[in-house]
Structures are given as structure tokens and as C-alpha cells.
Amino acid sequence: MSIGTHEITGKRLEGLPELQQRIQRLFRTRKVTLVVRRAYGSNLPELVDKKTVPGFRLDVYAEVAEALANPANEINDEFKLHQTQMTVDNENGEVQLSLLGEYLVDGQVVKIEGITL
């Protein structure tokens, strides 16, 4: 189990809330933008900037799975993805994800909700 710091309040985070924050940061970080860790990140910011065409959902689901499985992102040893759900708010352009998967620290199936892109 990882321990971290809440990016807004500075308070200590651990367990699922810390994992959710790391996943959100991962999904919002474009690949190759971190100088020291070029392999870190995802292509989700690029996808969200495009129009929501018929293949949009499939592209997002594929990128979520790829980003979480990439060893450079350091999530695959704590979380194994089973299912992704996405809602798109066309009014304000917000995309929200819910992830269902196995939290490998204790073997429980968990749902991580409220990840916004």
C-alpha cells in the first residue's frame, strides 16, 4: 500500500484514495512530457481534446487499459482493471471514468469513481 500527500490539502493519503489520486494524475499527464520519465503518462488528454466521434469510447477504454498496464506508470502492481465505464457531459465537455478492478494489496474487488479528464 502506498502512502502519499493529497495534491490540494497536503494531508496524508493512503490506500484507495491515494491510488485514485495517482490514477487521475496518470490519466491527465501526456506521455513524454516529464523530462526524467518520458514513458510515464497516457494519451487520454489527446483523445479528450478531440470530438467525440463513434469510436471515441473504444479509444478511451483501450487507452485506460494500456496506461494502467504500463509498468512505467507504476499502477499495475497495485490495481488490475476489470471494467471501465465512461460518462460524457457534452454541456461542459467533462469526461468521467469509473474503474472496476482488483486492488492487489488486499485482493478485494473495488470501484474507483469520479476520475475526471
Side-chain angles (χ1 to χ4, degrees):
M1 174 172 42
S2 296
I3 299 173
T5 304
H6 191 279
E7 60 189 22
I8 296 172
T9 65
K11 293 183 179 180
R12 177 185 166 125
L13 273 183
E14 59 184 272
L16 284 174
E18 195 275 337
L19 178 64
Q20 179 174 349
Q21 179 176 275
R22 282 193 298 135
I23 290 173
Q24 177 127 2
R25 188 179 312 122
L26 163 67
F27 289 168
R28 289 182 174 174
T29 304
R30 292 179 191 266
K31 279 186 177 177
V32 307
T33 57
L34 296 181
V35 176
V36 178
R37 297 181 62 195
R38 295 284 186 189
Y40 178 85
S42 74
N43 293 320
L44 286 168
E46 183 178 314
L47 290 174
V48 173
D49 288 345
K50 295 181 180 179
K51 292 183 179 181
T52 54
V53 295
F56 175 73
R57 283 188 185 274
L58 184 58
D59 291 342
V60 169
Y61 293 156
E63 183 56 36
V64 164
E66 184 179 315
L68 292 174
N70 184 350
N73 294 329
E74 299 177 352
I75 301 289
N76 63 337
D77 58 343
E78 286 186 56
F79 185 74
K80 181 179 178 183
L81 181 67
H82 293 276
Q83 182 180 0
T84 304
Q85 292 180 330
M86 177 177 68
T87 57
V88 178
D89 184 351
N90 290 324
E91 196 170 300
N92 65 12
E94 187 175 82
V95 175
Q96 284 207 355
L97 299 173
S98 295
L99 308 176
L100 181 69
E102 185 177 350
Y103 186 46
L104 300 174
V105 172
D106 59 10
Q108 291 186 9
V109 175
V110 296
K111 188 170 189 177
I112 299 175
E113 299 180 292
I115 297 175
T116 57
L117 305 176

